[in-house]
């Protein structure tokens, strides 16, 4: 398929009239940015914040117009305001416009018949058709091994017989493609939804597949949710038991917004012994409590050091803090993962340890965590099913 040009996109946008000015969105200066990359289009509409809500239909019309341009694989139109551009990048998205920011490619109907039963899904946060449950992996800060844990957890859940997807929601620094050893770009069979990438028996989606490595990604607040909604909803996930979402590090406003907008069945918090001492884990817990997402538990990563030559176990950072913190905070402790060179090497080489060294103690540690996560998830699902309205046929 021939590539889409910026001119074609602008031409399509010029057919959309802003009812307030009577002029088209291009000539009236509403369109401030159009980015086209490999058929994926991002349109930025800069609007008066006071008109935010009434602009939603116009935003949608712009998406639909661009979606009709031959060769367009995906389109996201986002509303920004002058005040929003003053914020540092990646800060809080504005309050969600009524009806949601979803849409995107083709504006397909989201939420299948079973969506109401999906834990975490509701009218505001419709579920993803075919996906049984979505769990988020979060951490108080970067560098604690959250992505490494997400990958090994997803693969361990698959080893337990579950159909698993992995969504890299860290749009600032996507590391899942490298850790999963996946290169190349996703394709779209129908021109509307992308097929996820696949390796080691699980399906995977990341902004890293769509944007070249060397492209600096500058996201303004509202773009973050649009991009995430697309990565989540405009993908042919197929039938999945569980979708593991690797959240960006930290528990700031951007993460809170995501936790609020993704229909999460539960969350898992990854902590190191040090950041447990610094109470970062508690921040994570509070964040999910605020948005009523059940915390499935805490995983202690880099928990102890196993000497590769003598096998001696050293607890350099003081160990067991996560177990105590979990007990104190009334949430479950899901297990501990040692600090080990093999985990770092395999993760950075794109050969996660649970698939490259499945017989190792480390792989066993991840599988034990996955079993506990699966158990907790079953509890949440049973709880949701019990609360679901029953239809009695007489
Ligand atoms: P985050 O997602 O929290 O930023 P990463 O998963 O990218 O962290 O991990 C940061 C670095 O630490 C990576 O190089 C990774 O391979 C390494 N790492 C993660 N967990 C472990 C572990 N248990 N033992 C050794 N290295 C680890």
């Amino acid at each position: 398929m021939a590539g889409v040009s910026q001119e074609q996109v602008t031409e399509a946008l010029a057919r959309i009239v802003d009812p307030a000015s009577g002029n088209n969105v291009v000539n009236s200066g509403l369109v401030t940015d159009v980015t086209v990359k490999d058929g994926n289009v991002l349109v930025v509409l800069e609007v008066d914040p006071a008109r935010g809500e009434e602009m939603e239909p116009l935003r949608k019309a712009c998406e639909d117009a661009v979606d009709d341009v031959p060769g367009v694989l995906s389109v996201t139109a986002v509303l920004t305001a002058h005040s929003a551009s003053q914020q540092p990048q990646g800060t809080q998205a504005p309050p969600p416009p009524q009806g949601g920011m979803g849409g995107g490619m083709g504006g397909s109907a989201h939420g299948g018949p079973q969506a109401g039963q999906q834990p975490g899904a509701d009218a505001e946060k419709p579920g993803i058709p075919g996906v049984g449950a979505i769990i988020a992996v979060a951490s108080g800060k970067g560098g604690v091994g959250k992505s490494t844990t997400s990958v090994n957890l997803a693969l361990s859940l698959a080893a337990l017989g579950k159909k698993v997807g992995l969504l890299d929601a860290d749009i600032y620094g996507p590391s899942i493609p490298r850790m999963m050893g996946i290169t190349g770009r996703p394709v779209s069979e129908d021109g509307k939804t992308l097929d996820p990438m696949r390796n080691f028996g699980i399906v995977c989606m990341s902004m890293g597949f769509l944007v070249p490595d060397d492209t600096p990604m500058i996201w303004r607040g509202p773009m973050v949710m649009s991009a995430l909604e697309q990565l989540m909803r405009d993908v042919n996930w197929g039938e999945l038991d569980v979708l593991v979402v690797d959240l960006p590090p930290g528990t700031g406003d951007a993460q809170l917004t995501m936790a609020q907008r993704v229909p999460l069945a539960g969350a898992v918090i990854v902590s190191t012994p040090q950041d447990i001492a610094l109470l970062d884990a508690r921040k994570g817990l509070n964040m999910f409590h605020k948005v009523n997402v059940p915390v499935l538990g805490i995983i202690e990563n880099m928990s102890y050091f196993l000497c590769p030559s003598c096998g001696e176990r050293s607890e350099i950072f003081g160990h067991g803090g996560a177990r105590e913190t979990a007990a104190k905070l009334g949430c479950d402790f899901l297990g501990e993962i040692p600090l080990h060179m093999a985990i770092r090497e395999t993760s950075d080489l794109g050969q996660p340890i649970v698939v490259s060294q499945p017989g190792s103690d480390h792989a066993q540690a991840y599988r034990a965590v996955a079993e506990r996560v699966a158990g907790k998830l079953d509890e949440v699902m049973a709880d949701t099913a019990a609360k679901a309205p029953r239809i009695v046929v007489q």
Side-chain angles (χ1 to χ4, degrees):
M1 204 178 285
V4 188
S5 70
Q6 193 148 352
E7 288 68 41
Q8 282 172 290
V9 172
T10 309
E11 244 168 58
L13 288 169
R15 287 197 282 274
I16 307 299
V17 174
D18 173 14
S21 65
N23 210 338
N24 75 56
V25 292
V26 178
N27 288 344
S28 62
L30 281 180
V31 174
T32 54
D33 196 19
V34 172
T35 313
V36 183
K37 242 177 220 107
D38 300 332
N40 301 297
V41 181
L42 180 69
V43 178
V44 179
L45 301 162
E46 201 145 300
V47 300
D48 173 357
R51 290 184 66 203
E53 243 173 61
E54 69 187 75
M55 297 301 281
E56 173 56 19
L58 200 67
R59 184 198 69 80
K60 185 78 181 66
C62 290
E63 270 191 356
D64 291 344
V66 177
D67 199 26
D68 287 341
V69 176
V72 167
L73 293 180
S74 77
V75 48
T76 303
V78 293
L79 300 178
T80 64
H82 273 296
S83 56
S85 63
Q86 307 297 317
Q87 293 179 4
Q89 24 160 317
T91 54
Q92 191 178 10
Q98 291 302 308
M101 290 174 74
M105 296 182 295
S108 57
H110 297 134
Q114 91 288 33
Q117 303 261 334
Q118 203 172 338
D122 55 36
E124 296 255 298
K125 305 183 280 189
I128 304 177
V131 177
I134 306 176
I135 57 173
V137 180
S139 65
K141 61 175 171 115
V144 302
K146 176 185 49 58
S147 298
T148 306
T149 306
S150 301
V151 165
N152 283 295
L153 172 64
L155 292 167
S156 298
L157 287 168
L160 294 176
K162 302 207 177 288
K163 291 199 198 81
V164 181
L166 177 61
L167 169 62
D168 185 358
D170 189 352
I171 56 171
Y172 305 101
S175 49
I176 297 293
R178 177 175 48 84
M179 289 186 180
M180 282 290 293
I182 303 177
T183 51
R185 302 214 173 277
V187 294
S188 175
E189 300 263 321
D190 60 0
K192 291 189 188 307
T193 47
L194 289 175
D195 289 342
M197 305 297 274
R198 175 182 288 273
N199 204 7
F200 309 124
I202 69 172
V203 287
C204 197
M205 185 47 78
S206 167
M207 191 50 79
F209 298 136
L210 304 174
V211 182
D213 271 355
D214 51 358
T215 306
M217 281 187 257
I218 301 163
W219 298 99
R220 282 196 272 180
M223 291 185 194
V224 174
M225 267 323 297
S226 297
L228 185 67
E229 291 262 354
Q230 259 193 322
L231 285 181
M232 195 170 65
R233 300 193 184 281
D234 295 334
V235 170
N236 291 323
W237 291 108
E239 294 290 320
L240 293 182
D241 296 313
V242 53
L243 178 64
V244 176
V245 180
D246 182 27
L247 285 183
T251 47
D253 287 339
Q255 287 80 1
L256 183 69
T257 309
M258 281 193 199
Q260 212 163 13
R261 301 292 300 276
V262 177
L264 294 174
V268 166
I269 296 169
V270 181
S271 267
T272 59
Q274 304 96 302
D275 81 327
I276 284 161
L278 295 170
L279 294 183
D280 280 341
R282 193 176 297 231
K283 280 191 231 154
L285 214 69
N286 288 341
M287 177 178 91
F288 291 111
H289 282 166
K290 253 190 228 169
V291 291
N292 291 324
V293 170
V295 173
L296 304 178
I298 300 180
I299 301 172
E300 189 172 86
N301 188 37
M302 311 192 194
S303 179
Y304 52 90
F305 177 68
L306 269 186
C307 173
S309 40
C310 71
E312 195 196 337
R313 175 171 166 146
S314 326
E315 279 148 21
I316 26 185
F317 304 116
H319 148 257
R323 191 185 287 274
E324 277 165 31
T325 306
K328 238 186 260 162
L329 301 176
C331 80
D332 279 11
F333 177 66
L334 297 169
E336 55 199 20
I337 307 293
L339 170 70
H340 200 280
M341 188 103 83
I343 297 180
R344 192 198 63 71
E345 280 172 356
T346 50
S347 166
D348 295 351
L349 277 173
Q351 291 290 325
I353 198 148
V354 299
V355 285
S356 60
Q357 300 174 23
S360 65
D361 288 349
H362 312 314
Q364 179 47 39
Y366 281 115
R367 277 196 299 271
V369 165
E371 269 166 31
R372 283 185 209 114
V373 169
K376 287 292 295 177
L377 201 54
D378 286 345
E379 283 173 27
V380 172
M381 307 282 276
D383 201 38
T384 307
K387 284 185 191 144
R390 284 174 207 287
I391 298 165
V392 181
V393 180
Q394 294 190 323

